[in-house]
Amino acid sequence: DIRWFKPVELFTKHGRSGHILEPLGTHGYMKCIFDGPLAAHDTVCMNLYKRVYPKWGRFRFSCDQADEQALEQHRKDLDAAARVS
């Protein structure tokens, strides 16, 4: 969804900055505006480090006893971290 990323600032590798104006259709196209004209060889970038995404599991799920113990320890660590926050 382009609307989800609308508040994020865009920048180019040649120093231009801009933002998203509006989405165009449903396939990820968007209308953007920048502080100057873009060169044909310029690349538009977006920082995603401020966005929060779900964490992927680091453990495989199997019937191995060691994996189950590691998963249980990971869950305890997550619970402890949530209590601290």
Side-chain angles (χ1 to χ4, degrees), residues 26-41:
T26 59
H27 296 286
Y29 296 114
M30 59 190 159
K31 196 180 282 189
C32 303
I33 189 165
F34 289 89
D35 60 354
L38 298 180
H41 61 277

Side-chain angles (χ1 to χ4, degrees), residues 2-61:
I2 297 299
R3 283 179 264 138
W4 173 261
F5 294 102
K6 192 170 181 177
V8 180
E9 183 182 4
L10 303 174
F11 63 94
T12 68
K13 291 189 175 182
H14 290 279
R16 298 286 181 200
S17 63
H19 62 277
I20 299 171
L21 288 179
E22 61 184 351
L24 297 174
T26 59
H27 296 286
Y29 296 114
M30 59 190 159
K31 196 180 282 189
C32 303
I33 189 165
F34 289 89
D35 60 354
L38 298 180
H41 61 277
D42 213 349
T43 304
V44 176
C45 305
M46 174 188 299
N47 285 326
L48 299 177
Y49 63 89
K50 292 183 181 179
R51 291 295 195 203
V52 178
Y53 293 100
K55 294 182 181 178
W56 292 95
R58 294 184 346 204
F59 298 99
R60 293 178 311 166
F61 294 100

